[in-house]
Each structure stands twice: as structure tokens, then as C-alpha cells.
């Protein structure tokens, strides 16, 4: 029998195509509008019979009048309706092998369902029930408060948790939605009446958008419209809240007198995605501290051995943003680590990035985006980020062009504009 398998010439190196040479395309969504005017963005893709339905409400902590009301309302959405207990609700979704999650962010809050496609008709009506008839039972509220206070008590003993709270408060102000943090007494003061009022205003009568992805049934519009199309879909107005950054910029906090590790946080206010520098600075950030081969990692982890990892990133906020650097280091080397961070800023300001390093970062960033386009759930998440930030499809292609074409000169100019020591808040918590 003749062997038709093509033999490999192992003396020749396989052809490697750089990620920057790929022409990435963002799969377009299908858009529906339900009877109530609610917008549905859908990605129909994937080989498996699974689907994700995510309802996004404008019900984040930006809209609360009292701390923790938004997060508490969102958490307790699935803890009881007038017809079902929390146990019965959880049992219903578990019976169908599905997963119902909720999450609260700054401007938005979500209720998301993951399930086999065939079970949507049995599950969507219960999702509707939670969005129209949650009753926030007193016992569930008390259990939630007790659990959250215990969790907070444990977290407050950790330097990284405390540092994360404080740096946001310094950057935005403690009364700003991005800078506000929870205290034990805040949980005690939340009432059932406040949760019910917030729920009625921002869920029952609030505005929502639906993102659905996966192997969608042919009647997906009818299924969504029958369950969600008669909900109220009100207007939303996001008030301007001005940040009030701290006047001092250097802080040293002792959280545990016997602690052997310090948590370092540095940050500076930064514009949101609509600013022309945002996409360009994403490239600069990756060079500086955005991936494992970054300048900060090579110096402070690999060379100095001060930390297991150090990272920098632009915060994923809608209204305002910040450029943040975060790491944990031995208590005795925290100050030395800060010195090295500033040295790396100086180098990026004073010396252009060489072609080899820039090519590596370009390929890394395109490769990450390529991975983010693998599968319907990843694709819809990218679209959700674009839509909720008030952007459009062109933003994706502008990002690709920026990564591929930004020059070393432009990066050096950006470093001189932003990577300046006096711009940064500096915090060490031990």
C-alpha cells in the first residue's frame, strides 16, 4: 500500500508568520430591538450548543445615593421573589446545568446566564422573574451582611487589598464612585427599603441592553422578546461627577506592624478611551509594564529579584481612567523597587525604544487580540466593551493600526508627556 503522507523536511525551519502580518477582522454582530426598545447585540458562532445571555443595566455604584446599595441590590437579585425562595431559584438553574451570575461595576450591573441552548425556554422566564419580582427577604439580607463583613474583616488584614482601596481614593477622591470603598458599618446601615427602591428605579424601571452569544437558536429573537420585550426600558442619564484627587502624592501606611511584605501602588489620572492618546499609550504601557517581558518585569523581577511580578495598566473605566503600577515586594526592598520604577520611566523618556523590542511588543499585543477573538463569548465581550464605552467598530481597527504603525519617536514623546515622576501618586502599605 502506497504511503501518500507528505514527508517533512526537518532540516528546514518552518515558516513563521508574525502576528502583525495578520489582517484581523472583528466579526460583526447582529442587532435586534425588542418591543420595549431594548437593544440586543448577538454573535452567532461556535461549535458547541451553549449560549450566554447577559443583561446589562445602568445600575452601578455611580447611581447610588448611599454606599453599597448598588452592589448589595445586584448581589441579592437571585435571593428570592414573591413566588420562589433563594434555594428554589438556585435549584431551578442547577437542574438545567446552567449558571446564573451577577456582577456590579461602576456604571453598570449585570445578570448573566450560561446554559445549553436548548434550555433557554425554561430559563429565560425565571430571569425575567428576577428582574421584575425580586423581594429582598430580610433573612437573606442579614446573611449577606454577615458574610460580607466577615470577608471584609479578612481582606483588611491584607496589604494588597488595603493598597488597592487607598490608591483609588487618592486618584479620584473618597466620595467619587471610582474611589469610594466599603467599611463594616456601611453594611450595617443598608436597609431593605433602600434596596427595594434602588431595584425599582434601576432594574424594574431602568434601562438595559442585552448581549447574547454562542450557538444561537433560530428563534432567539422571539425567545428574548417574549421574556424581556415587555420589561420597562427607561431612559438613563449619567451625571457628571468630578474627581477630587488627594493633594499629597506620597503615602506610607502600616497595616501590619509585623508584616514582611509591602504592597506598592502608583498611579496617575488619565483620560478615557475617547482621548487620542489612549490607544497609543496602550502600546507604551506594554513596553513599560504591561506583559511578562516588560521593562519593569525585566528589571525589578528578573534582574533585582525584588518581586514575583510587577504590572502596569490603564484602568477599564468609562468616565475617567488612571495609569496604575502594582506590585508586592519584600518590606525591606519596597523603597528600592520604587527607585527602579522611576529609572525605567527615565529611560523611556530619554531613549527611543529599539526596533526589536517594539516589534516584540507589537506581535504580543496583536497575539493577545487574536486570542480574544477566539469564540463567541470573547467576541461579544469585545463588542460589549466598545458599545458601553460609546465607541463603534472603527475603534477596533484604529487599535490595530496604532499597534502596527506607532513609531519609537511617538512613544518617546508620550513617555515625556505622561511618565513623569511628579504625575504619579505613590503608596506603600506594609
Amino acid at each position: 500500500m502506497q504511503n501518500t503522507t507528505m514527508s517533512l523536511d526537518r532540516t528546514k525551519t518552518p515558516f513563521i508568520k508574525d502576528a502583525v502580518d495578520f489582517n484581523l477582522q472583528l466579526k460583526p454582530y447582529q442587532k435586534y430591538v425588542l418591543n420595549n426598545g431594548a437593544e440586543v447585540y448577538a454573535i452567532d458562532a461556535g461549535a458547541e450548543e451553549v449560549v450566554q445571555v447577559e443583561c446589562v443595566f445602568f445600575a452601578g455604584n455611580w447611581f447610588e445615593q448611599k454606599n453599597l446599595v448598588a452592589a448589595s441590590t445586584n448581589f441579592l437579585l437571585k435571593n428570592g421573589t414573591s413566588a420562589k425562595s433563594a434555594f428554589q431559584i438556585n435549584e431551578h438553574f442547577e437542574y438545567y446545568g446552567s449558571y446564573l451570575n451577577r456582577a456590579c461595576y461602576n456604571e453598570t450591573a449585570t445578570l448573566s446566564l450560561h446554559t445549553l441552548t436548548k434550555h433557554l425556554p425554561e430559563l429565560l422566564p425565571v430571569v425575567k422573574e428576577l428582574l421584575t419580582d425580586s423581594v429582598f427577604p430580610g433573612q437573606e439580607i442579614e446573611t449577606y451582611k454577615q458574610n460580607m463583613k466577615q470577608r471584609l474583616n479578612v481582606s483588611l488584614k491584607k496589604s494588597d487589598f488595603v493598597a488597592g482601596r487607598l490608591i483609588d481614593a487618592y486618584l479620584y477622591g473618597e466620595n467619587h464612585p471610582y474611589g469610594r470603598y466599603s467599611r463594616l458599618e456601611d453594611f450595617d446601615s443598608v436597609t431593605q427599603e433602600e434596596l427595594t427602591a434602588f431595584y425599582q428605579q434601576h432594574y424594574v424601571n431602568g434601562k438595559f441592553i442585552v448581549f447574547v452569544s454562542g450557538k444561537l437558536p433560530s428563534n432567539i429573537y422571539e425567545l428574548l422578546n417574549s421574556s424581556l420585550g415587555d420589561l420597562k426600558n427607561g431612559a438613563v442619564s449619567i451625571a457628571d461627577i468630578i474627581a477630587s484627587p488627594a493633594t499629597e502624592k506620597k503615602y506610607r501606611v502600616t497595616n501590619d506592624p509585623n508584616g514582611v511584605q509591602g504592597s506598592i501602588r502608583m498611579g496617575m489620572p488619565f483620560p478615557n478611551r475617547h482621548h487620542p492618546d489612549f490607544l497609543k499609550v496602550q502600546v507604551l504601557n506594554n513596553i513599560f509594564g504591561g506583559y511578562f517581558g516588560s521593562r519593569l518585569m525585566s528589571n525589578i523581577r528578573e534582574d533585582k529579584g525584588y518581586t514575583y511580578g510587577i504590572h502596569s495598566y490603564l484602568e477599564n473605566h468609562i468616565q475617567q481612567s488612571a495609569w496604575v503600577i502594582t506590585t508586592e515586594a519584600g518590606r525591606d526592598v519596597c523603597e528600592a523597587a520604587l527607585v527602579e520604577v522611576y529609572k525605567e520611566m527615565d529611560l523611556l523618556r530619554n531613549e527611543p525604544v529599539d526596533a526589536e523590542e517594539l516589534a516584540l511588543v507589537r506581535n504580543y499585543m496583536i497575539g493577545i487580540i487574536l486570542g480574544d477573538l477566539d469564540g463567541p463569548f470573547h467576541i461579544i465581550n469585545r463588542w460589549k466593551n466598545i458599545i458601553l464605552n460609546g465607541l463603534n467598530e472603527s475603534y477596533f481597527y484604529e487599535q490595530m493600526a496604532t499597534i502596527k504603525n506607532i513609531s519609537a519617536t511617538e512613544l518617546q514623546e508620550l513617555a515625556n508627556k505622561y511618565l513623569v515622576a511628579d504625575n504619579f501618586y505613590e503608596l506603600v502599605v506594609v
Side-chain angles (χ1 to χ4, degrees):
M1 183 175 181
Q2 185 178 1
N3 185 358
T4 58
T5 304
M6 183 180 295
S7 61
L8 296 175
D9 185 351
R10 300 187 184 277
T11 64
K12 294 182 178 179
T13 303
F15 174 72
I16 298 175
K17 184 174 182 178
D18 285 344
V20 293
D21 295 329
F22 286 107
N23 181 25
L24 298 188
Q25 301 291 314
L26 181 59
K27 180 179 173 65
Y29 56 73
Q30 297 170 282
K31 183 177 179 181
Y32 310 107
V33 179
L34 305 182
N35 288 345
N36 55 7
E39 297 173 330
V40 177
Y41 297 89
I43 293 292
D44 185 9
E48 306 300 328
E49 296 285 340
V50 292
V51 64
Q52 170 185 285
V53 179
E54 185 169 37
C55 298
V56 178
F57 287 82
F58 291 85
N61 63 355
W62 197 276
F63 299 95
E64 66 187 8
Q65 302 301 312
K66 182 178 176 182
N67 198 18
L68 293 180
V69 169
S72 301
T73 301
N74 178 263
F75 184 91
L76 291 164
L77 277 178
K78 54 182 285 191
N79 284 52
T81 67
S82 60
K84 293 183 178 69
S85 66
F87 176 80
Q88 289 171 322
I89 292 168
N90 288 320
E91 188 177 52
H92 181 80
F93 287 99
E94 287 179 7
Y95 176 80
Y96 289 101
S98 62
Y99 178 61
L100 185 71
N101 194 25
R102 58 268 184 270
C104 186
Y105 305 101
N106 291 299
E107 289 85 2
T108 61
T110 64
L111 188 69
S112 56
L113 171 68
H114 295 78
T115 181
L116 292 176
T117 306
K118 64 182 180 181
H119 294 322
L120 277 176
E122 287 75 33
L123 297 174
L124 284 176
V126 183
V127 172
K128 176 182 180 179
E129 185 178 348
L130 301 182
L131 296 174
T132 57
D133 190 36
S134 287
V135 295
F136 306 98
Q139 184 56 51
E140 294 291 337
I141 295 174
E142 291 307 311
T143 301
Y144 162 76
K145 289 182 179 181
Q146 181 180 355
N147 290 342
M148 295 304 292
K149 285 165 65 178
Q150 289 176 346
R151 184 180 301 176
L152 180 58
N153 259 325
V154 172
S155 296
L156 286 172
K157 297 174 183 177
K158 302 175 181 177
S159 63
D160 59 338
F161 179 82
V162 173
R165 287 155 57 99
L166 292 178
I167 193 64
D168 284 342
Y170 300 151
L171 286 167
Y172 302 105
E174 200 174 321
N175 294 320
H176 190 278
Y178 294 170
R180 194 161 52 230
Y181 54 80
S182 55
R183 297 178 172 85
L184 294 172
E185 57 268 25
D186 292 336
F187 288 104
D188 290 328
S189 68
V190 171
T191 68
Q192 185 182 46
E193 291 73 22
E194 289 166 337
L195 300 179
T196 301
F198 189 87
Y199 170 71
Q200 287 292 327
Q201 181 177 356
H202 296 288
Y203 288 92
V204 177
N205 297 292
K207 178 177 176 58
F208 70 100
I209 301 172
V210 181
F211 296 91
V212 58
S213 57
K215 195 71 175 284
L216 304 183
S218 58
N219 63 338
I220 184 62
Y221 173 78
E222 289 76 17
L223 286 172
L224 292 172
N225 199 45
S226 64
S227 293
L228 306 176
D230 60 349
L231 302 183
K232 294 180 181 178
N233 184 40
V236 63
S237 177
I238 301 180
D240 289 332
I241 302 177
I242 305 301
S244 302
T247 53
E248 297 294 325
K249 287 199 169 182
K250 294 185 185 294
Y251 298 88
R252 300 295 183 269
V253 176
T254 301
N255 189 59
D256 178 3
N258 300 315
V260 297
Q261 179 171 280
S263 294
I264 297 172
R265 298 293 183 274
M266 301 170 67
M268 62 163 287
F270 199 81
N272 66 16
R273 285 172 174 76
H274 293 269
H275 193 278
D277 286 345
F278 192 92
L279 289 174
K280 297 176 183 178
V281 165
Q282 284 186 325
V283 181
L284 178 60
N285 174 69
N286 273 281
I287 295 168
F288 179 52
Y291 77 117
F292 195 80
S294 70
R295 299 278 187 95
L296 292 180
M297 286 287 277
S298 297
N299 179 345
I300 298 171
R301 180 187 189 276
E302 300 298 331
D303 183 39
K304 302 299 187 302
Y306 292 157
T307 179
Y308 284 114
I310 181 168
H311 307 279
S312 64
Y313 58 92
L314 298 179
E315 286 189 329
N316 188 29
H317 292 331
I318 294 176
Q319 307 302 325
Q320 300 134 40
S321 185
W323 197 346
V324 177
I325 303 157
T326 174
T327 189
E328 274 65 52
R331 183 173 187 163
D332 58 334
V333 296
C334 283
E335 300 301 328
L338 286 167
V339 170
E340 296 305 320
V341 172
Y342 290 122
K343 283 183 181 178
E344 293 302 331
M345 290 186 188
D346 290 342
L347 285 172
L348 285 168
R349 289 201 312 272
N350 297 322
E351 300 177 11
V353 179
D354 67 50
E356 183 178 357
E357 183 180 15
L358 184 51
L360 178 63
V361 169
R362 292 192 209 275
N363 277 285
Y364 167 78
M365 293 183 71
I366 297 292
I368 290 294
I369 294 171
L370 181 61
D372 283 346
L373 300 180
D374 181 21
F377 298 165
H378 284 135
I379 296 170
I380 201 67
N381 278 338
R382 186 162 284 272
W383 272 119
K384 183 176 71 171
N385 199 36
I386 289 172
I387 291 164
L388 293 179
N389 278 281
L391 302 163
N392 56 41
E393 184 179 13
S394 66
Y395 183 81
F396 175 83
Y397 295 102
E398 288 170 14
Q399 184 180 24
M400 296 299 102
T402 299
I403 295 170
K404 293 180 179 182
N405 299 317
I406 192 168
S407 68
T409 300
E410 288 178 283
L411 291 169
Q412 189 173 2
E413 290 172 353
L414 289 167
N416 277 283
K417 183 176 181 180
Y418 295 111
L419 289 180
V420 178
D422 289 344
N423 290 345
F424 282 81
Y425 288 82
E426 180 186 301
L427 167 66
V428 179
V429 178
V430 295

